[in-house]
Amino acid sequence: MKLKQYIKIACLSSFTVVATSCLDLEPKANLSDSTVWNKASNFQLFADQFYGWTSDFVTAIGDNVHSDYRSDLVCGSSVNTYSQGTNTIPSSDGNYGTNYKRIYYTNLLLKNAESFSDPASIAIPVAEAKFFRAYAYFELVQIYGDAIIVTEPLDTDSEQLYGAQNDRGEVVDLIIKDLQEAAGALPETSTEAGRLNKYIALSMLSRVALYEGTWQKFHNGGRDATANTARSTELLTIAKNAANEVIKSGKYKLFYHETLGDQSYRYMFTLEDGAQCNPANLSKADNTEYIFVKRHRNGDKTAYNLTHGMVGNACYVTRKLAELYLCSDGLPIEKSSNFKGYKGVADEFQNRDRRMDNTMLYHGEQYWNNDGKWRTTWTDADLTDCLVANVRSGSGYQCQKWGTERKVDDYYESYDFPIIRYAEVLLTYAEAAYELDGTISDSDLDYSLNLVRQRVNPSMPKLSNSLVVAHGLSMREEIRRERTVELVLEGHRIDDLKRWATAAVEMPQDQLGVQFTGTWFETNWNNPGKSVNADGILVLYTNRVWNDKLYLYPLPSDQLQLNPQLEQNPGWK
Amino acid sequence: MKNEFLKFSSRRILFSAAMASALLAGSPQMAFADVNGAQAVMQAGTVKGVVVDVTGEPVIGANVMVKGTTNGTITDVDGNFSLSNVKGTLIVSFIGYKSQEVVVKGTETSLKIVLKEDSELLEEVVVVGYGTMKKESLTGAVTAVDQKAFQGKGSLSSPLQALQGQVAGVMITRGSSAPGDESWSLNLRGAVSMNNTDPLIIIDGVASDGVNDLRLLNSNDIASISFLKDGSAAIYGSRAAGGVMLITTKKGAEGKVKVEYSGNATFKTVGLMQEAMSLDQWANGLKTALRNDDQTGNVWYTYAELAQKYKGQYIDLQTSANPFGTAAFTDVSDFVFADDVDWLGTLFGNTWSTEHSLSVSGGTEKSSYRISLNYLYDGSTLQFGDNNNQRYNFRVNNTYKFTDNLKLESSIAYNRQNQVVPTMVDAVLSNTLPMPGLAFESLNGKPYAWGTWGSPAAKAEYGGDNKLVVSAINISETLNWKLTDWLTANANVGYNTSTAQRDKVENSITYYNYVGNKVVRTDPIQDNSSYTQTSSRTDFYSFSGYLAANKTLAQKHKLNLTVGAQYEFKDYTYFGVKAKDIQTGLEIIHGSGDITLSGDEKRYQTAVLSYFGRFNYDYDGRYLFELNGRYDGSSKFRPVNRWAAFYGASIGWRLKQETFLRDVDWLSELKLRASYAEVGNQSGISDYDGIQFYNLVSAGGDGAYIGSDKISYIKTDGSLASTNRHWERIKNYNVAVDFGFLNGNLTGTVEAFLKKNDNMLVDITYPALLGDKAPKMNAGKFKDWGYEGSINYRGSVAGVNFHVGGTFTFARNELTDYGGTTVLSSGYKSTMQGYPLKSIFGLRYAGKIQNEEQLEAYKAKYFENNGVNMPSNLRVGDNMYCDENGDGKIDEKDYIYLGSDTPEISYSFNWGADWRGFDVNVIFQGSANRFVYRPIDNMTVPFRGYYTNTSTASIDNTWAEDNRNAYYAPYTSDSNINNWNYQASSLTAQDGRYLRLKNLTIGYTFPAKMLKKTKVLQNARIYATGTDLWETTKIKDGWDPEAAAFDSKDAKQAAKGVKRYPFTRNFTFGVNLTF
């Protein structure tokens, strides 16, 4: 009725003649479905955004689910509620939404690829989509366990939006399938620096399979489990084989350089292009070890104030990490006669795994950073103008990993972040081999783990079955120790504790600093501002708790409200 | 019979048409020309006389015409006139006075004609959509404001500044006092949607781009503004949801050349501002915080002690040893503990503004003109760097009468804005003030830096300028063709074009130590210095035409029909380029480093095609009826859901005209009105609805670093497309009564309104599995209701003319149905069903924890599985909150409504008087029913960071055993505890009501006799105005009560940059001259 009336009025008024086609306007500034998915090159451009998603320094040393600050080995000047075990259910959680958003983008590409006329021409972007879909699902599994599987783009009226979670096993199967398919389609060698290749997919596969294989083993059989389930056997086999394929390819090698010698480990982490950053004047191209990295370009600002945030008293290294380093005879400090004790300020640094002083500063050690005193000649002449470590703050232990020695503005360190490096693959091989069979041969150890151990400790005895037996060591513990000290501050520790089911033991322990009573510190450190425990050791954080619910993060309450089928993780209800 | 009727009625129509056109011209008496013409048959002669007003002052420039001829003259500065060849009746007229007719008997030499002021005259005709109406026959909620509202108000950065609180139902707020970035916002009777419903602004018949464009307008050019607040706006259809603001600019008048000048200078001084701690206050506070945290071993504890020990001194590490040895502060060059640096007081200070306006107008019977020029300079309270806003306006308004029936009104305006702001203003004015003691500059005046911290003064001074130049041309050409006595055709062509170019220089700054002999820092490094140039261009075309018919049937039935069509087209384009590694001093884009696109390049076109109409029926001046509507088609939609019709209907009953009230003397007006309309809103619809968009990010943008560059990539635009959306449709109800008593001296209006939006476009939150953002859906229901009133009294006692008046508006909105699942969370939230927009939610404060037992009991009861991040290390003195729903758990279900940030009440009252040339005017303005929550930052939370200053508000107001009900918990730097204590709660949500003295003006108009001696001046007035001189407020944190609440979730509202400029108190001295 009304409409008719108005059409009438409209007709009467149409003395100004204008055609209705003047309302048909086309977008001028945006591509649309029809202009994106009709070209193979656009599939590649769409896949190129995925490379922006990978882990970076913030993942490993910011406040993040994988961060070492949420583990037991390092801490900061204020308590971390996740490390402390007192985190609560959040109202929203960016990790959840971000990963599903990424899954949506990969699904969008894969869906459009199905109907593309020339599948061969888009094989690479399709493989990249599968890799990154797996990457996002693995994040979800690590954080939340079970997860809803979506393999195609959803609409607002899709019932799947309100589905229940799939078992983590199904999710892991999808990840493995995606990674295997990606590995099959990706080139042997990256076409450009920073791009995926076959061995990145295989390395990722070995990481996922080890993670889930050990999770299944220890969360079903307890943290001391020796027997495997069918599932853990299956997964550990995949992990071992995938790692072996990477090793066999011979494409990667642990980083070592004569000039850098036993400091090779340390300088590897600060390799940059465009300016000298180590005495051997090596740059990123010399790094044979990094398999998959988040690349940073000299001159670009990064999200983390690396040197200032890590070197000296900013990062509190705990006693636990310091104690984990073996003595030069390959034995733990409590079993080694080489251990010098704590009385002198740097005594405990004597005769230790060289990775300890690659990673930590001892009192009186000369060092450089980027804007106090930095290196200029890269010879011993620099020693006349250097900083001297004064460890009378924090825990009494200090860090020097991720610190540069060249002059560069804060936030402009441009070293790459190692998402996966060869050392991890070697250690994954060793661990998978051991957990698969409950034993590992000396030759397998020499094939993998001992390469890592001896990089900067050429004279340290190899880990061997005889060493273990002779000194009453535990092979499992030694393999785990090797992984822990090698990969510290790279975002692996808390995930390792979770999959090994040992968090309940490790996490509630007090976070401690140096031996205070009866040592140099007692006489030279006026007011540490912290209490000292019965053994005379500085206490950084105490009353730490662990509840088994913490093995998985709680789902955020907004998602639970939005989807009633979604089930909160155990212990969080 | 039929012929007789037509004859008769055509005479009536002729009469009423003449009446209407005369009303438009502003001199109703002329309409009687033909009727009385026959009576005046006299002999020609010379007549001399004087024209005066009721007080005996001569009226200068009054028009004296012999009726029915072109013979006329204008009175001189004494009000005298002399006119020869006079035969018949003289018509004496002057704007603002009732015209007089004098029958001249013969040659007369001492005629004295007294003109009476007509206060109603200017208001009598009100501009409405596509036409004008007599105010008495209005049936909608239309309020008109005339040019007087802008006179003598000091320099106006926007006409809205003069209208704040002045018009019932018109809610005006300002966002900042940064010059050129005041962010005046305007809504008529509150929000009607979660989507933008700014009023449609039409200047001389052509739509403007938005409220923000008003900043380019010269207030002195405004003749009148009409606000269409209810269904009367329905003739604007799909854009009428927020009401319509119709601005008409001044035209020239027939008569001799008139030159007007007005100028003023305004002194601006900082009003309310937060206060930051002194060195001692900060050091004591920080030590307390660290003691509370058991962190006395922290180097900052030592630093605070050192600061107090060396107060007023500095330690240069080139000549002295570092007191911290190598344990800490190894990267600083000195320690400076200045005691006399008031950071906020130094950053902000006094400033000046000035405005000059000149116009020349005049005309003949055939054409008239008005040319105006305006210059505004607005200085900044920021004391460092280049910061000001300048505006230049030029306008030519011409009227050409080609024939008696064909008239062209031409309006051409050029507006320009030149604004400059320090590029690093966000860093200069952040909510993170450094600790006291640090210096603004080194001893020898160089940029000072301490560690990684660089002085904001240096950032403002040396960081480079961000310059904006806006050039806008507005053209409106209206052809008016009287087809017959009762039918007029009207065609308008409008063209607005504007370009905005921004040149943003970010220089590398070299910072020195305090002594000034050593470079300590360069930030940004030279490689990252940059020159960014962005440019946007908007072209807007409007073509409209309508026919207007007026007929009166049988004397009592007045009919009016307007029908027309309009096509509008807008084209917008934007791009930006950034070059790095620049030379200082060059003012063109250049650089030796990377050159990249800004990444947000944009281009869009939109068009609307409309058919509209209005029908009015007036029976005997008693019963009024109006129907209006519009049929709109928009390019934003796909063709299937492109078109929609909107309409409004209203009725009025003028009781005063009824026989039973006609003779009631004390009542001069009584009218009842009611209206209903359905109007549309398309602001929630994207420009190309229903298409999935993808963006191409160019290489060098934020892509991953692959190969040798940051790669280019394609991504979605972040939203899913929807194909089934349509316009929001708003139902608009209004009832009102207009009244007048005491012979029209006391007048007023009371209105009540209800607006319902039953298909509001809302963002529905879906489970995160969806991926991109879901499209908005027409799923929400929203309503807005309230009432408004205004009352004015004019009187005169013992030669003093005075007026008092007031306005009051109450508008409350409610999201009645969100249409999706709402997730409760703490802080600001606009999506909670049953609550208003910008609602604040949080826990109910239950007092402070007074002792250990209470602490243990509280933790034992609520810590386990709480959902509100209760810290495990909660302490005595910290806040407790209620388990509102009594389920034994404190979680998001315990959040309560704490008020809304949108003021529900806006009111003002004014008083003014004039006596023998002196005049005084006072305006108070206030708002109420508003709550403010300031999210956690370093100013609101004391000692949240060690090395930042904080507000003095917490001093002597923290919990202690002898101050158990203090607002602040004991100082701490523990972020978990601070987040707990300062989260949104009934404690931290502040009552935002205020009442302030908005304007106080005292003026003096020089007597005409005195001006006569100058020979050139016709009118002269000087005045002094103070604005925002005084206020009463309940805001506790030192911010101005009008200031935005800094919602941290909203980037625009972030507590930095222009949002941190304190509001000012202004003192203006001005002069208005007419030559």
Side-chain angles (χ1 to χ4, degrees), chain A residues 2-3 5-7 9-10 13-16 18-20 22-33 36-37 42 45-46 48-49 51-52 77 79 81 86 88-89 91 96-97 100-101 104-105 108 148 150 154-156 160-162 192-195 295-297 299-300 308 313 371-372 387-388 390 392-393 409-410 412 527-529 549 557-559 561-563 571-573, chain B residues 294-297 326-328 330-331 452 522 525 528 545-547 563-565 567 569 594 602-603 605-609 611-612 627-631 633-635 639 642-643 645-647 688 691-696 704-716 718 720 765-772 774-775 777 821-824 863-867 869 872 892 976:
Chain A
K2 283 169 199 160
L3 192 67
Q5 189 183 351
Y6 281 96
I7 291 170
I9 292 169
S13 316
S14 59
F15 63 89
T16 307
V18 251
T20 50
C22 59
L23 294 177
D24 291 327
L25 302 176
E26 291 299 320
K28 305 283 178 196
N30 299 82
L31 299 167
S32 61
D33 275 329
V36 168
W37 303 116
N42 283 351
L45 279 169
F46 194 83
D48 284 350
Q49 69 172 306
Y51 286 93
S77 58
V79 67
T81 51
T86 55
T88 51
I89 300 170
S91 56
Y96 192 85
Y100 271 112
K101 187 182 278 238
Y104 164 68
Y105 294 144
L108 190 60
I148 302 174
V150 259
L154 301 182
D155 275 330
T156 51
Q160 251 192 299
L161 282 176
Y162 304 99
E192 273 183 297
R195 284 202 181 274
R295 295 173 77 225
H296 292 284
R297 184 170 57 170
D300 288 342
H308 257 112
N313 59 4
D371 71 346
L387 296 161
V388 179
N390 182 333
R392 283 171 288 193
S393 66
D409 279 278
D410 284 351
Y412 285 90
N527 174 16
K549 71 181 181 181
S557 51
D558 61 347
Q559 295 300 324
Q561 289 179 62
L562 290 165
N563 176 7
W572 291 104
K573 278 160 209 160
Chain B
D294 202 11
Q295 288 270 334
T296 52
T326 56
T330 52
D331 58 345
T452 57
T522 306
I525 58 171
N528 284 338
Y546 63 88
L547 287 167
V563 289
Y567 177 68
F569 177 81
D594 289 347
K602 207 171 180 181
R603 174 100 197 244
Q605 295 174 332
T606 57
V608 182
L609 176 64
Y611 302 94
F612 56 84
L627 184 67
N628 64 18
R630 191 176 183 107
Y631 185 57
S634 166
S635 67
R642 172 171 288 167
W643 288 90
F646 305 95
Y647 68 93
Y688 303 94
I691 300 176
Q692 176 67 57
F693 273 170
Y694 296 85
N695 295 333
L696 176 68
Y705 175 36
I706 299 285
S708 58
D709 201 357
K710 300 213 158 186
I711 45 170
S712 168
Y713 64 92
I714 288 175
K715 61 176 181 181
T716 68
L720 298 170
T765 315
Y766 288 91
L769 264 60
L770 191 60
D772 270 341
M777 298 294 205
T821 314
T822 359
V823 176
L824 244 177
F863 182 75
E864 184 69 19
N865 278 347
N866 77 81
N869 295 322
S872 55
E892 76 280 354
N976 297 319

Side-chain angles (χ1 to χ4, degrees), chain A residues 9 94 192 197 244 250 258 270 305 308 362 369 372 374 469 558 572:
Chain A
I9 292 169
E192 273 183 297
N197 62 37
N244 195 28
E258 284 296 319
T270 60
N305 191 353
H308 257 112
Y362 54 86
N369 66 15
W374 53 88
V469 170
D558 61 347
W572 291 104

